[in-house]
Amino acid sequence: MAKPFYRADQVGSLLRPASLVAARSQHQSGAIGKAALRQIEDAAITGIVRRQEQCGFEVVVDGEFRRENWWIDFVQGLTGVEIQEGSAAQAFVAPEQAGPGHAADHDHDHDHDHGWKYVPKNVVTNGRVSAPAPIAAPDFTFLQSATQRAAKVTLPSPTRLHFHGGRAAVSTAVYPDIEVFFADVVKVYRAEIAALEAAGCRYIQIDDPLMTYFISDRMRAEVVAAGDKPEARLKRYVELTNDCIAARGPGTAIGIHVCRGNSKSGWIAEGGDERIAEAVLGGLKVDHFLLEYDDERSGDFAPLRHVPRGVKVVLGLVTTKFGKLEDTRDLLRRVDEAARLVPLEDLAISPQCGFASTVEGNIITEEDQWRKLAKVVEVANTVWKT
């Protein structure tokens, strides 16, 4: 059975319109109820679905318009977990130039971040992990009702429940055996995937910036401080992810987006995938990868040699972090370079990440966002004559 694969793809999040941000603020203050907020979200999602269709996408997303960020809302739907503030050691690297339309200056001096800080929150497990009801399936159902094209759902990686803190973040009273914790996480994800499939979803994306943390000496030090060996932890994460997706149906495509962090145009890890390529690109049993290649932070294409034959790769060549529009000729050249390692028929193109992994969005205008998405479709149509 053929699985969905789209030459022009996108990672998931889109810039929230000001009206939607205001409505969320009103809901949080108690000024409007959940039903009223959902009506506003429905209208905003319907609008951005039309825009994606106009761009020429055959697969659409809801922009993560119902989410605070890419992972928190999903985790909040689980029992047995608590979300806490993170530590300064986990802070993102800020963009050097804060303004739409600017190319990034990649002299990554962590001491010159203009006072900007984004510190991701952490997950602490203090009870048995479970999901009382499907979390993403209702959102998928609405999205699919708003389009005649394919609808994609994004889910945060299971690694997000463990990375920050490791064993110490999981109650030893509840889980004296950490493997029982991992088994419960697998049950949650298998049930969620099954619920999405029952609702008609055939393309599910797992978002995992955590695996690229193993590129970074700073983030690897956090793993060591937690008492683990980075290589062993990464291997366990690959096994965990594979277990979570192993029961999917034969017609369901699972793509995994592996990036280096994304918040207000900042990031957390830098460097190519070589350090993790054999374990991640060669070990994950996904149908395709969505990888970022927008600048030198991401390294070259050489690690793609570890991708098994038949596994597809979506090249994230168009940056979402700054507004400068990529040159079509450069994008075509880079697709050609990647095709020396992965057959052209197994490649596609997308932005390098979402435009708003956190509700504030990246340092880019909505106009630039849509220009970039149109560019993705343009290049896909040129290369693959779709």
Side-chain angles (χ1 to χ4, degrees):
M1 182 180 297
K3 295 187 178 186
F5 184 65
Y6 302 94
R7 301 300 185 182
D9 207 338
Q10 53 188 309
V11 171
S13 64
L14 297 169
L15 294 171
R16 277 70 156 177
S19 58
L20 181 57
V21 175
R24 288 183 65 94
S25 178
Q26 289 176 316
H27 174 63
Q28 290 167 355
S29 69
I32 63 173
K34 187 172 183 179
L37 174 62
R38 193 163 185 92
Q39 285 186 334
I40 295 169
E41 291 171 341
D42 288 351
I45 290 167
T46 300
I48 56 107
V49 165
R50 296 287 90 78
R51 290 294 302 270
Q52 292 170 77
E53 292 171 342
Q54 291 165 8
C55 279
F57 283 97
E58 294 300 320
V59 58
V60 301
V61 295
D62 67 4
E64 300 181 4
F65 276 11
R66 303 191 198 277
R67 303 185 188 183
E68 176 184 335
N69 72 18
W70 66 277
W71 68 269
I72 282 181
D73 301 78
F74 182 87
V75 173
Q76 286 175 331
L78 305 177
T79 62
V81 300
E82 178 184 346
I83 296 172
Q84 299 182 349
E85 295 298 322
S87 71
Q90 300 159 5
F92 273 46
V93 179
E96 292 293 328
Q97 295 186 4
H102 291 283
D105 173 358
H106 298 292
D107 177 15
H108 298 314
D109 184 344
H110 293 200
D111 295 326
H112 293 80
D113 61 8
H114 311 292
W116 178 93
K117 286 289 182 186
Y118 173 70
V119 178
K121 294 180 180 179
N122 294 340
V123 181
V124 174
T125 299
N126 50 27
R128 289 297 294 261
V129 176
S130 66
I135 299 169
D139 295 345
F140 165 79
T141 298
F142 176 81
L143 175 61
Q144 189 62 81
S145 74
T147 183
Q148 295 298 310
R149 303 187 185 179
K152 175 169 80 169
V153 166
T154 61
L155 300 177
S157 170
T159 61
R160 194 63 186 78
L161 296 170
H162 181 268
F163 182 89
H164 293 298
R167 168 75 263 197
V170 180
S171 169
T172 55
V174 177
Y175 289 109
D177 182 352
I178 193 66
E179 290 303 319
V180 177
F181 163 77
F182 287 134
D184 280 352
V185 172
V186 169
K187 290 177 185 176
V188 164
Y189 275 82
R190 288 192 179 187
E192 188 69 24
I193 290 170
L196 284 166
E197 290 178 321
C201 185
R202 292 296 176 265
Y203 181 6
I204 300 168
Q205 177 180 304
I206 307 292
D207 288 330
D208 195 318
L210 289 304
M211 291 190 186
T212 62
Y213 287 8
F214 292 87
I215 293 170
S216 164
D217 287 336
R218 175 169 68 111
M219 303 311 292
R220 286 168 70 94
E222 182 177 334
V223 174
V224 173
D228 290 342
K229 295 180 179 179
E231 287 74 18
R233 171 92 74 92
L234 179 59
K235 179 182 178 182
R236 187 65 188 88
Y237 284 174
V238 170
E239 293 170 352
L240 172 64
T241 304
N242 285 341
D243 287 344
C244 286
I245 65 177
R248 68 188 182 276
T252 301
I254 299 282
I256 189 163
H257 169 59
V258 182
C259 76
R260 290 155 181 77
N262 185 51
S263 179
K264 293 191 284 188
S265 299
W267 55 87
I268 198 165
E270 302 171 44
D273 290 324
E274 195 64 51
R275 202 171 194 177
I276 63 170
E278 186 172 359
V280 174
L281 300 183
L284 284 169
K285 306 301 182 184
V286 296
D287 298 292
H288 62 265
F289 292 93
L290 298 100
L291 304 174
E292 61 175 358
Y293 289 112
D294 61 325
D295 62 20
E296 64 268 23
R297 281 184 313 106
S298 308
D300 59 24
F301 294 131
L304 291 178
R305 70 187 185 278
H306 291 283
V307 176
R309 187 64 185 265
V311 175
K312 302 178 187 299
V313 176
V314 182
L315 301 168
L317 300 176
V318 175
T319 192
T320 66
K321 295 187 183 296
F322 299 93
K324 183 179 179 181
L325 188 64
E326 285 76 4
D327 181 78
T328 299
R329 291 169 299 179
D330 288 340
L331 295 175
L332 294 172
R333 174 182 55 78
R334 299 201 70 200
V335 171
D336 183 62
E337 290 176 2
R340 299 169 192 169
L341 293 155
V342 177
L344 187 63
E345 63 266 25
D346 290 337
L347 293 175
I349 184 173
S350 75
Q352 128 276 345
C353 200
F355 290 89
S357 299
T358 55
V359 70
E360 298 87 356
N362 281 349
I363 304 170
I364 186 171
T365 66
E366 288 190 48
E367 179 184 356
D368 286 336
Q369 169 185 266
W370 293 111
R371 289 169 65 226
K372 284 174 174 285
L373 289 172
K375 178 69 70 173
V376 167
V377 175
E378 174 197 335
V379 171
N381 289 342
T382 300
V383 174
W384 294 278
K385 307 296 189 296
T386 57

